[in-house]
Amino acid sequence: MPYLSGVLTGIVLTIVVVFLIDHVGDEPGSQDIVNWNYVGGELGQSAGKVADEVREEVHKATAPEPTEAPAAAPEAAPAPAIEAMPEPETTTPPATTGTPTDTP
């Protein structure tokens, strides 16, 4: 991770230094190191293309799935009637034996 951070920091610093060299102390007739108009145009077009592609992919991913018409199921024989379960007999709970309690 520190290696990646160092590489990215180096790239950003290089771009910033070149930009500053090209724009600070511009003398008439001096040639820039980088054609910033071209870079800005290309980055703008690339960003627009990426945004369009991402928008299309998100649209495809979030679109509802097409539903197929359900095939006509063959008619099955009617289900047999469900018989009612007999009610359980009510029983009284067993008698509890009382234990003598000590009352103070």
Side-chain angles (χ1 to χ4, degrees):
M1 190 68 171
Y3 179 77
L4 180 63
S5 302
V7 169
L8 293 176
T9 303
I11 291 170
V12 170
L13 285 175
T14 302
I15 293 170
V16 168
V17 167
V18 170
F19 182 82
L20 290 174
I21 289 171
D22 280 348
H23 288 87
V24 174
D26 256 351
E27 296 177 8
S30 67
Q31 185 177 2
D32 288 340
I33 298 172
V34 175
N35 183 353
W36 296 103
N37 294 328
Y38 177 76
V39 170
E42 288 297 313
L43 283 178
Q45 289 177 359
S46 297
K49 288 178 187 176
V50 169
D52 290 340
E53 290 175 7
V54 168
R55 190 175 300 114
E56 284 181 28
E57 292 297 322
V58 168
H59 181 69
K60 287 179 187 176
T62 58
E65 295 182 13
T67 57
E68 296 180 12
E75 289 194 32
I82 299 175
E83 294 181 22
M85 294 187 62
E87 291 185 24
E89 293 181 23
T90 57
T91 59
T92 58
T96 58
T97 58
T99 58
T101 57
D102 293 334
T103 56

